[in-house]
Amino acid sequence: MLEVRNLEKWFGPIHAVRSVSFQCAKGEVLGFLGPNGAGKSTTMRMITGFLPPSDGTALLGGYDIREAPVEAKRRLGYLPENAPAYEDMTVEEFLLFIAEMRGFRGRRARERAGETMKRCFLDKVRHQPIETLSKGYKQRVCFAQAVLHDPPILIMDEPTDGLDPNQKRTVRQMIRDMAAEKAIVLSTHILEEVEAVCTRAIIIHEGRIVADGTPEALKARHPSGRLDEVFRILTVGDEAQ
Amino acid sequence: MGLWTAAGIILRRELKSYFQSPIAYVFLVGFLLLVGFLTFMVGGFFEMGQADLRFFFFWHPWVYLLLVPAASMRLWAEERKSGTIELLLTLPVTLPQTIVAKFLAAWLFLILALVLTGPIVLTVLYLGNPDVGVIVAGYIGSALLAGAYLSVGLFASALTRNQVISFVVALLICLFLLLAGWPPVVSMFTRWAPDWLVRTVAAFGVMPYFESATRGVLDIRDMAYFVSVMIVMLLATHWTVENRKGS
Ligand SMILES: Nc1ncnc2c1ncn2[C@@H]1O[C@H](COP(=O)(O)OP(=O)(O)OP(=O)(O)O)[C@@H](O)[C@H]1O
Ligand SMILES: [Mg+2]
């Protein structure tokens, strides 16, 4: 479903992503782990076609994001870091705009936006301008925008960032509910989240993949059997030593 | 779905967002008051004893100098500041369509401001007997001028995430375009600058082209000038967004 091939990214002298390759099949929920600045967001931005890679590419449903970006993007739902949305619009207007951009017309667009608001528990705030929403609600609006067209590939950059414990649970449940039909990649700093929703995890450090496996396989790498220990050993950089 | 359909949806969103903030109305009223004041009071319209619209159009390049950057400063800077650029550019649409959609939305907004000056023109028609052809040519010239400034503003907006900087940069570039071909400035420079330099710089100026439009002669060369400015600036915008969107 999603195939990432040798992605490289240079920001001037900074080598942010170094030959990252992996695949994600339908039914998989792939957790993207790594310390701050490891290159998770940059990798996702290249997969989604926002940033051009310095080298390598990604195939979404067989479409190359560099060669056929529009076709590739049709198959994609993307929740960027910090959950941006057009703040001057109401929740309903915003989701209607997204529905139309995703090819729904007229009544079907309104139905689609309505269903999505229900599914993401946004009914209560549908007429509220997004700028007046709390952080958790904003996060959910952006989540709603990503899943509105029921994409086969879902990329989410810290989808539970800023949510309270209840909302975190809700979002995780929603991800699990969708998982069977989609290839999902999500980044997170919460290791329990990996155990709760991910079928597989990739640990990335200084732009390189340093581990790739099921949460169980990763845990087995340390005698304590704890993911945070494994994470620490794999990603403690020079600065921390 | 056709890509231009998607562009139409972006255009509609942009146009709506102008009217969702009170700034749009402040702006339209400000524009009309400014143009009206300059035409009737400063321009010596009544003393002229001659009902034509030269003093109406005369001020447009100066009024646009403030109005157009204010209308365009938000277009890309805000997307970058709020991060929505990441949403917009990962939707199934390409950058050229997105740029054209934003440009046309803002241009329509400016043309609306222009259309609202109608009562001034009706006053003139009532007072005298001006040549309608000249008025039409003047309006087309003015709309093209607004479009040219706007393309500069869109480019300036893509340069930064700070709207104030975007406003100032747009204003400075537009001021250059305005002064470069303006006879008083040109004659000042001919005193000391080499002839070829004066002529090269003057060739960039909007004034000769705009003035011929307000005299009622809008020929293909004038149109070509405005259209070329727009195309060049939209291409520059494309290049800038491509290269700076991530930073
Ligand atoms: N536009 C940019 N220009 C220059 N350097 C950048 C840019 N974007 C990211 N970087 C650098 O690339 C590296 C990877 O950043 P990235 O945002 O991908 O990290 P991350 O893994 O998402 O971190 P976090 O967990 O903090 O979100 C960092 O060193 C960062 O400073
Ligand atoms: Mg990040």
Side-chain angles (χ1 to χ4, degrees):
Chain A
M1 191 46 73
L2 171 66
E3 186 179 346
V4 176
R5 289 186 185 158
N6 300 311
L7 279 180
E8 292 273 346
K9 187 70 188 179
W10 290 87
F11 292 109
I14 303 172
H15 200 178
V17 174
R18 306 171 189 226
S19 194
V20 165
S21 302
F22 62 87
Q23 296 190 2
C24 182
K26 185 170 131 178
E28 273 192 295
V29 181
L30 182 57
F32 230 50
L33 306 177
N36 293 127
K40 303 180 293 294
S41 298
T42 305
T43 304
M44 288 180 157
R45 286 179 175 147
M46 291 191 285
I47 296 173
T48 56
F50 177 63
L51 286 182
S54 304
D55 199 13
T57 190
L59 272 67
L60 291 83
Y63 290 93
D64 190 317
I65 192 68
R66 300 180 82 171
E67 308 287 324
V70 173
E71 280 306 317
K73 287 171 186 176
R74 284 193 216 286
R75 284 152 184 82
L76 168 76
Y78 178 36
L79 168 59
E81 199 168 24
N82 302 323
Y86 290 109
E87 304 245 319
D88 57 342
M89 301 175 103
T90 66
V91 174
E92 187 166 30
E93 285 168 346
F94 175 65
L95 292 178
L96 202 55
F97 166 69
I98 297 291
E100 291 186 329
M101 288 301 289
R102 291 296 184 180
F104 298 97
R105 283 282 159 284
R107 196 169 52 85
R108 289 193 49 228
R110 282 194 298 279
E111 281 170 8
R112 197 67 183 203
E115 284 162 22
T116 310
M117 283 186 283
K118 273 211 193 69
R119 199 146 63 98
C120 301
F121 309 102
L122 291 164
D123 265 333
K124 224 174 57 189
V125 296
R126 65 193 294 162
H127 299 301
Q128 216 167 310
I130 296 173
E131 61 199 345
T132 66
L133 296 179
S134 72
K135 184 168 180 194
Y137 270 99
K138 279 185 196 169
Q139 187 82 17
R140 257 196 275 162
V141 170
C142 201
F143 182 91
Q145 141 317 113
V147 300
L148 179 135
H149 56 301
D150 200 16
I153 299 171
L154 197 51
I155 311 269
M156 297 186 281
D157 203 346
E158 304 192 26
T160 60
D161 182 44
L163 300 185
D164 70 40
N166 300 336
Q167 297 202 6
K168 277 199 175 82
R169 277 181 64 141
T170 314
V171 167
R172 286 176 196 162
Q173 190 55 49
M174 281 158 58
I175 294 171
R176 271 195 299 265
D177 290 345
M178 293 185 301
E181 295 304 313
K182 299 188 194 308
I184 301 179
V185 180
L186 60 88
S187 75
T188 181
H189 288 296
I190 308 165
L191 296 176
E192 309 92 78
E193 191 155 290
V194 177
E195 302 182 53
V197 296
C198 296
T199 58
R200 201 175 119 210
I202 283 179
I203 299 179
I204 179 165
H205 175 49
E206 292 179 344
R208 235 187 291 270
I209 293 181
V210 293
D212 180 348
T214 62
E216 290 69 37
L218 291 182
K219 280 191 285 191
R221 286 185 170 208
H222 191 270
S224 71
R226 284 174 41 184
L227 208 48
D228 56 344
E229 289 294 337
V230 180
F231 182 84
R232 197 177 58 77
I233 289 173
L234 288 171
T235 62
V236 170
D238 305 331
E239 54 188 312
Q241 279 168 0
Chain B
M1 184 176 64
L3 287 175
W4 290 106
T5 316
I9 297 162
I10 296 176
L11 189 157
R12 225 175 50 213
R13 199 201 71 77
E14 290 286 348
L15 202 54
K16 249 166 87 185
S17 91
Y18 274 112
F19 292 98
Q20 245 152 17
S21 76
I23 296 168
Y25 301 96
V26 171
F27 216 77
L28 289 175
V29 171
F31 174 66
L32 294 176
L33 287 178
L34 201 56
V35 168
F37 174 73
L38 291 170
T39 304
F40 291 118
M41 300 311 184
V42 182
F45 177 85
F46 292 112
E47 294 91 72
M48 285 279 293
Q50 180 194 356
D52 77 22
L53 281 167
R54 254 182 308 149
F55 280 97
F56 167 67
F57 287 120
F58 174 82
W59 294 106
H60 284 202
W62 300 94
V63 174
Y64 285 154
L65 214 47
L66 291 178
L67 177 82
V68 175
S72 63
M73 61 187 185
R74 210 191 84 252
L75 290 167
W76 283 108
E78 178 67 20
E79 298 264 6
R80 278 179 58 197
K81 183 147 189 262
S82 67
T84 46
I85 189 171
E86 213 167 328
L87 284 182
L88 185 63
L89 298 185
T90 53
L91 287 169
V93 61
T94 65
L95 188 52
Q97 269 95 19
T98 311
I99 288 173
V100 170
K102 279 177 177 282
F103 175 73
L104 288 181
W107 202 10
L108 283 175
F109 178 68
L110 295 173
I111 289 173
L112 172 70
L114 193 55
V115 167
L116 291 178
T117 60
I120 297 178
V121 174
L122 291 178
T123 312
V124 177
L125 281 173
Y126 172 78
L127 290 176
N129 208 350
D131 185 340
V132 176
V134 175
I135 296 179
V136 171
Y139 265 110
I140 295 176
S142 182
L144 287 170
L145 175 69
Y149 277 15
L150 175 64
S151 63
V152 170
L154 193 65
F155 164 70
S157 176
L159 285 174
T160 164
R161 54 180 66 210
N162 182 323
Q163 295 194 29
V164 177
I165 295 177
S166 143
F167 177 90
V168 172
V169 169
L171 192 147
L172 290 177
I173 300 177
C174 289
L175 188 65
F176 167 77
L177 289 180
L178 177 52
L179 294 181
W182 202 37
V185 176
V186 173
S187 62
M188 206 175 76
F189 276 89
T190 40
R191 285 202 210 118
W192 56 272
D195 200 36
W196 63 268
L197 183 64
V198 173
R199 266 185 291 129
T200 312
V201 173
F204 284 104
V206 294
M207 225 36 183
Y209 303 97
F210 181 64
E211 273 184 342
S212 80
T214 59
R215 285 196 308 270
V217 270
L218 189 67
D219 66 25
I220 201 79
R221 275 209 347 263
D222 305 325
M223 305 263 242
Y225 166 79
F226 288 115
V227 173
S228 331
V229 172
M230 291 185 226
I231 292 175
V232 168
M233 293 318 290
L234 292 184
L235 290 173
T237 306
H238 186 279
W239 188 87
T240 309
V241 174
E242 268 303 296
N243 286 284
R244 300 188 67 98
K245 60 189 175 186
S247 58

